[in-house]
Amino acid sequence: MARPQMLKLPEVLTEIGMSRAAFYRMRARGQGPRLIKLPNGQLRVRRADLDTWLSGCEEVAA
């Protein structure tokens, strides 16, 4: 069974085109993808969680 892909925070920020500061402000408002904190303190985001979060952010342009 394959392990889920875990993205580093810089990879996530590049993909969504957001600065680290803006990302943390969004997280402080209770928004953003789910973060996983590893025992060494590093943060990761599961690919599936990021994709789900991005899908929920989509709006249909009028």
Side-chain angles (χ1 to χ4, degrees), residues 17-37:
M18 187 177 285
S19 71
R20 184 180 295 267
F23 182 81
Y24 281 115
R25 283 193 304 270
M26 180 179 64
R27 296 276 308 148
R29 293 189 306 263
Q31 301 169 335
R34 182 174 172 223
L35 294 178
I36 307 294
K37 189 171 189 176

Side-chain angles (χ1 to χ4, degrees), residues 30-51:
Q31 301 169 335
R34 182 174 172 223
L35 294 178
I36 307 294
K37 189 171 189 176
L38 300 178
N40 63 4
Q42 294 181 354
L43 298 174
R44 297 287 188 272
V45 178
R46 285 188 183 99
R47 164 54 64 188
D49 291 342
L50 180 60
D51 291 343

